[in-house]
Amino acid sequence: MKGYGSFCPVAKAAEILTERWTPLVIRELLLGSRHFNQLRRGIPQMSPTLLSKRLQTLEEAGLISRQSDGNGHWEYHPTQAAREARPIIDALGYWGHRWARSQLTPNELHAGRLMWNMRRSFDLKRIPCDFVLYIEIADARPKRWWFVVKEEDADLCWDDPGFEVDISVYASLRTLVQIFIGEMPLLRARELGKIEIDGPQHLVNSMRTWFPHSKYANETPALTDQL
């Protein structure tokens, strides 16, 4: 990591926070990823070697506390310094959603990353307990995904968990990404024939309240011009 050679606090913060991939690693930690493989799922295009290097750098900078999980593996916990960076990461997300929108080129579409982000974006207060959502993505590999939603968590499964499915969704990867990032409302996509939804009508009708979407698709928080 090369410094800016300046005492300016912005420069000192940028030396740590703006190195390539680092904001995404911090984002994953703040969203609850604790193990190396969880971080890899959230940032699948980042090589394991580079991820290890960034974790070491963040630990040296005081943003990560590495702890044993008691089973021979390491857990990575954000320190107070990392937690206080949350508004910075969120501001980047809201700014990017408003001013640097993706054109959704093929290299930006990744089913695993989308499903992992959807897993932690359910509104668990609005979705029924013990609920199973099946999603089939025609143009992705793997194409079949299951979410098993409990009262406090949503598990993502690559193999059929063996439970009765409550809602089945069929769509292209692009359509699902557009819904997730807020470019296309779920029910509008259904009206256009871009997504097929099977299930009891009352559950289908409630999907607008709990179906996963990026928090950055919400209204951008008011920003102050005072520094």
Side-chain angles (χ1 to χ4, degrees):
M1 184 192 305
K2 293 183 179 180
Y4 289 101
S6 172
F7 61 84
C8 172
V10 174
K12 301 306 293 183
E15 288 175 1
I16 299 173
L17 298 179
T18 64
E19 190 170 22
R20 181 170 170 80
W21 296 107
T22 293
L24 302 186
V25 175
I26 296 175
R27 178 201 66 190
E28 291 302 309
L29 291 165
L30 293 175
L31 287 173
S33 293
R34 294 292 175 263
H35 294 93
F36 191 87
N37 286 338
Q38 292 177 333
L39 292 164
R40 285 276 294 136
R41 289 175 185 171
I43 323 172
Q45 293 171 314
M46 188 178 188
S47 73
T49 300
L50 184 55
L51 176 56
S52 295
K53 184 178 180 180
R54 288 293 183 271
L55 289 171
Q56 181 180 353
T57 299
L58 288 172
E59 185 178 10
E60 293 171 351
L63 274 74
I64 288 178
S65 172
R66 188 173 60 151
Q67 305 170 18
S68 173
D69 66 358
N71 296 311
H73 300 94
W74 291 109
E75 288 185 349
Y76 301 92
H77 293 262
T79 63
Q80 181 66 22
R83 291 192 293 271
E84 289 186 11
R86 184 185 293 274
I88 300 173
I89 301 300
D90 282 345
L92 283 172
Y94 286 115
W95 185 91
H97 187 268
R98 183 175 183 182
W99 299 107
R101 297 291 288 273
S102 169
Q103 298 301 311
L104 297 182
T105 56
N107 68 302
E108 295 176 331
L109 300 175
H110 189 285
R113 183 169 63 243
L114 172 64
M115 294 295 107
W116 186 249
N117 278 281
M118 288 178 64
R119 180 196 66 84
R120 57 195 177 195
S121 300
F122 283 94
D123 189 336
L124 297 175
K125 295 180 181 179
R126 297 178 180 271
I127 195 169
C129 295
D130 299 323
F131 183 87
V132 178
L133 171 67
Y134 169 71
I135 295 182
E136 185 169 315
I137 310 174
D139 56 344
R141 294 293 182 272
K143 64 187 297 183
R144 298 179 177 87
W145 307 80
W146 289 262
F147 292 97
V148 181
V149 183
K150 302 293 184 179
E151 184 176 354
E152 298 180 353
D153 195 16
D155 290 330
L156 173 62
C157 303
W158 290 265
D159 298 315
D160 189 345
F163 301 123
E164 182 178 353
V165 171
D166 296 285
I167 292 285
S168 297
V169 171
Y170 306 86
S172 69
L173 179 56
R174 176 179 292 272
T175 294
L176 288 172
V177 170
Q178 287 176 319
I179 293 170
F180 183 75
I181 65 176
E183 284 191 355
M184 183 181 299
L186 174 68
L187 297 185
R188 178 57 176 163
R190 191 185 188 198
E191 291 174 357
L192 294 174
K194 292 181 176 294
I195 187 171
E196 180 181 342
I197 305 173
D198 292 334
Q201 193 59 46
H202 72 283
L203 291 179
V204 174
N205 291 341
S206 70
M207 289 179 70
R208 71 179 72 188
T209 66
W210 55 258
F211 195 75
H213 65 276
S214 169
K215 71 175 184 178
Y216 302 121
N218 297 330
E219 182 178 355
T220 304
L223 300 177
T224 177
D225 58 358
Q226 296 180 1
L227 298 179

